[in-house]
Amino acid sequence: MKKFVNDPKSFVPEMLEGIALANPGTLRYVPAYNLIMRADAPSADKVSIVQGSGSGHEPAHVMAVGRGMLDAACPGDVFAAPPMDYVYETAKLLSSPQGVLLLVNNYTGDRMAFDMGREMAEADGVRCEILTINDDVAVQDSLYTVGRRGVAGNFFVIKTVGAASEQGAGMDELLRIGRHVNDVTRTMGVALTACTPPAKGSPLFELGAEEMEFGVGIHGEPGRERRPLASADAIVDDLLDAIVPDLPYRSGDRVALMINGLGGTPVSELYLLYRQAHRRLADRGITIGRSYVNEYCTSLDMAGASITLVRLDDEIETLLAAPAEAAIRVF
């Protein structure tokens, strides 16, 4: 394994410390709870938006903290849910008269940690609500979930709910918006290589030189099937054939299209995938209103990509276009 690592046990806290040092005055790092939070949070005038889940998916979620996005993120170790006491302490630190909204990707460990953390915080008088995200169409159940997994589509929930919270929306309105965005969002991914967690030091699974995992999860969970490697255009066609009928997206729809890298794929290849996705959606009569090509929810250094579609309406498109600040910047 060749990685920039000092001690695998300190990989996550050292990353979090670096994020805070790179954003002085805007972000605050609380080492006791792996917590990255806005320096000006909580605000008495807004609902605090929090997400957690394991590390290894950066920029989700710790690099999505900022004005118009998350108010805080409390990750666990690489690919591990945060301890429930981290969620509990985070909810208390972010407590606002308007409440705390916890955005949870649908994995068994995350749901347990956030459910228990919420119950403990509510016992202390903190109003907490949970919104579960489950945009992955690859499998109905995985090794880690009951129901569909939450993957790259979570960024659209973060962005819309974060924008609405910044504009003063109350808890009930944020829950409505977040559930609506989740309902019209679908994602599926493919892996060309496995990833290597620092603490393990070797690839998480074996994949032959001429094989790909079709429908892979962001922790390397198996997808629909292992297939022979195909051309980029054929891979995009097959991903869209799985995603489009699932909602379904229909001719005349206007969508946001995200091509998300899984950590080990050059952006040039992501744009090559975008080209074919744009063409195929146009063939179906689907218009692309907003485009996202980059890394949003990765799987460490996995070579691969996912495609996400969001059916747009005026409300979603306005919230996606609202100003936002985050630790990871695009100049």
Side-chain angles (χ1 to χ4, degrees):
M1 177 181 71
K2 285 185 176 179
K3 287 183 178 293
F4 293 108
V5 173
N6 296 309
D7 178 346
K9 295 179 181 177
S10 63
F11 178 78
V12 171
E14 290 179 355
M15 171 191 68
L16 298 176
E17 185 177 0
I19 293 171
L21 289 171
N23 294 270
T26 59
L27 297 183
R28 175 187 168 200
Y29 171 43
V30 183
Y33 312 120
N34 267 1
L35 173 63
I36 290 285
M37 59 186 289
R38 283 173 56 170
D40 60 353
S43 168
D45 299 327
K46 72 183 290 296
V47 175
S48 294
I49 311 297
V50 175
Q51 194 167 44
S53 193
S55 298
H57 307 301
E58 294 73 28
H61 313 280
V62 290
M63 299 175 192
V65 177
R67 187 179 302 276
M69 299 287 284
L70 296 173
D71 292 281
C74 63
D77 289 333
V78 171
F79 294 172
M84 65 178 178
D85 57 320
Y86 284 20
V87 177
Y88 166 58
E89 297 292 349
T90 295
K92 288 197 299 182
L93 282 170
L94 273 292
S95 178
S96 152
Q98 310 304 317
V100 179
L101 177 57
L102 306 172
L103 305 180
V104 181
N105 286 332
N106 192 33
Y107 296 93
T108 303
D110 290 313
R111 290 188 59 171
M112 290 178 59
F114 277 85
D115 282 341
M116 297 177 73
R118 178 185 67 165
E119 290 178 4
M120 295 166 66
E122 286 184 328
D124 285 352
V126 178
R127 183 189 178 189
C128 277
E129 298 286 350
I130 287 180
L131 197 158
T132 304
I133 301 163
N134 58 351
D135 56 304
D136 190 359
V137 307
V139 290
Q140 288 297 323
D141 293 288
S142 80
L143 299 175
Y144 306 93
T145 62
V146 177
R148 288 179 165 175
R149 303 175 290 219
V151 287
N154 80 89
F155 240 87
F156 291 100
V157 177
I158 292 172
K159 180 65 185 71
T160 52
V161 168
S165 176
E166 203 69 44
Q167 295 167 9
M171 181 67 81
D172 292 343
E173 181 70 353
L174 295 178
L175 287 167
R176 181 193 66 77
I177 292 169
R179 288 167 180 157
H180 173 52
V181 173
N182 182 64
D183 286 346
V184 296
T185 300
R186 297 289 188 275
T187 299
M188 189 160 167
V190 60
L192 307 184
T193 68
C195 59
T196 300
K200 187 172 186 290
S202 59
L204 204 57
F205 57 91
E206 296 296 328
L207 198 58
E210 298 300 324
E211 292 180 323
M212 61 180 179
E213 186 70 31
F214 191 75
V216 69
I218 56 175
H219 309 98
E221 304 101 318
R224 290 188 173 182
E225 60 180 321
R226 186 158 295 187
R227 296 182 177 183
L229 186 62
S231 70
D233 285 356
I235 291 172
V236 169
D237 291 351
D238 288 347
L239 288 173
L240 289 178
D241 283 346
I243 295 169
V244 171
D246 193 88
L247 191 60
Y249 301 90
R250 297 188 173 93
S251 177
D253 279 349
R254 182 175 169 85
V255 301
L257 168 61
M258 172 187 281
I259 307 294
N260 167 61
L262 293 178
T265 298
V267 71
S268 55
E269 295 180 27
L270 299 181
Y271 274 103
L272 186 148
L273 299 176
Y274 178 89
R275 163 190 166 275
Q276 178 69 359
H278 191 287
R279 291 169 46 154
R280 285 292 174 255
L281 290 172
D283 291 343
R284 296 171 187 261
I286 298 172
T287 302
I288 298 171
R290 297 187 65 85
S291 300
Y292 301 81
V293 184
N294 214 313
E295 292 182 339
Y296 293 88
C297 188
T298 59
S299 182
L300 290 170
D301 55 351
M302 181 184 288
S306 62
I307 296 178
T308 298
L309 297 181
V310 185
R311 180 186 286 158
L312 295 175
D313 54 33
D314 290 345
E315 179 181 54
I316 294 176
E317 198 156 8
T318 298
L319 292 171
L320 290 178
E325 300 172 6
I328 188 165
R329 301 180 177 89
V330 177
F331 293 93

